[in-house]
Amino acid sequence: MTGWIVYDSKQYERNRWFAEELLNNCLSFCDAKLIITERLRFGISDNCPSMLYDNTPISAPDFVIMRSIFPLLSEFLETAGVSVFNDSTTARICNDKRLTHLSVLRSGVRMMDTLFFDRDYFSENDLSALAYPAVVKSSSGHGGKEVFFVNSSDELLTAVHSMQDSRFLIQKPFFPSGQDLRVYILGGRVIGAALRTSDSLKSNFSLGGKASFHTLTDHEQKTVSAILAALPFSPDFIGIDFLYGGADLIFNEIEDVVGTRMLYETSDLDPAAMYISYIKTVMQSYRTLN
């Protein structure tokens, strides 16, 4: 059996330790290698999927652990018969906050009032209908990047034009800010949760927020289960983020390529080993069926 762990170069440098943990755990049961997306070329040759790595033809593996945000590559690999963790549907929806909110809407779980926009279709008429203050988010932003708290139309326009992605959301702000909950899902079940706190709008652990391990209440577990039941895909390893609103959890977003630093820092869990154990079980069941 062969497997790839796929990272883009920036994410690999930032998460080298976790990447190596994934690779080492994979090597215990298969021939695995690290693949950097910038060195991979893929397309169609003679009516078949084809790939080059460092300009040399390379065969498709049996499975891929996708740690790069690249839904097209995920779908290409699936077309080539590769099992991709997480799959392309998970990647496409979870890396567009607008699609994520639409998917979770089916669950009935509370979320902030949200407007969906594309910069190409944004006009002065939209500005006049908005209320301030507001939170502006890039649709594809991650790790607390491209999130802006704005108090006026001028600030909103500055934020919108500074974002790399033309797709964005405008939300009613939630107070008090700076506290949220990340719930880690592996193979459809909760494996852990971490409460994050910060004095700023962004409570991301990687941006200096503080974290502590959190045991879900029965109500919180039911909220998570409702979201999982509503999603139009079966995620392998994701993080679901919530804000706290009194006794309720308020849905915020889903992380496809979810970071694991908080679990390592706040618990005895080993997410890399757990993820690879899950993938090994899934791949062995595929082989049994086929």
Side-chain angles (χ1 to χ4, degrees):
M1 188 184 302
T2 57
W4 290 356
I5 295 95
V6 177
Y7 275 87
D8 61 68
S9 57
K10 288 183 179 179
Q11 287 300 315
Y12 174 65
E13 289 304 319
R14 185 167 178 246
N15 299 283
R16 183 186 292 264
W17 182 86
F18 186 68
E20 295 298 330
E21 286 294 299
L22 290 174
L23 182 60
N24 290 336
N25 278 279
C26 276
L27 289 172
S28 68
F29 77 96
C30 73
D31 180 15
K33 65 175 65 178
L34 175 73
I35 297 290
I36 302 299
T37 52
E38 291 92 334
R39 295 161 58 185
L40 182 68
R41 298 290 178 268
F42 60 96
I44 299 169
S45 178
D46 294 329
N47 261 25
C48 295
S50 66
M51 291 179 286
L52 299 173
Y53 193 66
D54 290 336
N55 296 319
T56 300
I58 188 171
S59 298
D62 294 303
F63 71 89
V64 161
I65 303 170
M66 184 60 69
R67 300 295 291 177
S68 180
I69 299 171
F70 203 163
L72 176 62
L73 176 56
S74 298
E75 188 162 354
F76 171 85
L77 290 164
E78 289 165 355
T79 301
V82 179
S83 298
V84 181
F85 304 86
N86 291 312
D87 67 15
S88 61
T89 303
T90 305
R92 179 176 58 84
I93 292 176
C94 293
N95 291 296
D96 185 331
K97 290 183 175 65
R98 303 169 306 172
L99 295 178
T100 306
H101 276 74
L102 288 176
S103 296
V104 174
L105 186 62
R106 303 181 182 98
S107 71
V109 172
R110 183 182 171 194
M111 62 183 69
M112 298 307 297
D113 292 347
T114 303
L115 294 171
F116 305 143
F117 291 100
D118 190 301
R119 192 163 54 216
D120 294 337
Y121 305 103
F122 190 66
S123 70
E124 292 186 3
N125 290 333
D126 293 310
L127 289 174
S128 63
L130 295 173
Y132 300 96
V135 175
V136 183
K137 298 179 181 179
S138 164
S139 189
S140 59
H142 295 273
K145 297 178 181 178
E146 297 197 332
V147 177
F148 307 89
F149 188 87
V150 299
N151 289 290
S152 67
S153 295
D154 288 341
E155 289 183 8
L156 187 148
L157 286 175
T158 298
V160 167
H161 289 292
S162 71
M163 293 186 293
Q164 293 184 351
D165 195 342
S166 68
R167 307 164 301 167
F168 63 97
L169 303 81
I170 298 178
Q171 293 182 317
K172 179 180 178 180
F174 172 75
F175 299 103
S177 61
Q179 185 177 64
D180 68 13
L181 179 71
R182 169 164 291 175
V183 181
Y184 291 87
I185 307 296
L186 177 61
R189 67 181 185 88
V190 175
I191 61 167
L195 179 65
R196 305 182 292 189
T197 58
S198 174
D199 294 331
S200 69
L201 176 67
K202 305 171 188 178
S203 58
N204 300 73
F205 189 61
S206 61
L207 298 179
K210 298 178 182 180
S212 59
F213 195 78
H214 178 79
T215 301
L216 297 184
T217 66
D218 289 344
H219 175 69
E220 290 168 347
Q221 179 65 62
K222 289 178 181 178
T223 300
V224 172
S225 297
I227 289 176
L228 292 174
L231 295 177
F233 54 86
S234 298
D236 298 302
F237 188 33
I238 60 171
I240 306 179
D241 291 349
F242 298 92
L243 303 172
Y244 273 109
D248 288 335
L249 290 178
I250 302 173
F251 172 75
N252 189 24
E253 62 185 13
I254 298 177
E255 289 287 343
D256 163 31
V257 183
V258 62
T260 58
R261 287 181 178 87
M262 287 190 297
L263 281 185
Y264 281 109
E265 291 285 342
T266 64
S267 75
D268 294 327
L269 297 174
D270 186 345
M274 296 170 73
Y275 195 12
I276 299 308
S277 177
Y278 162 77
I279 290 171
K280 179 181 178 181
T281 299
V282 172
M283 293 305 299
Q284 288 177 339
S285 69
Y286 285 167
R287 288 198 161 190
T288 300
L289 291 173
N290 295 326

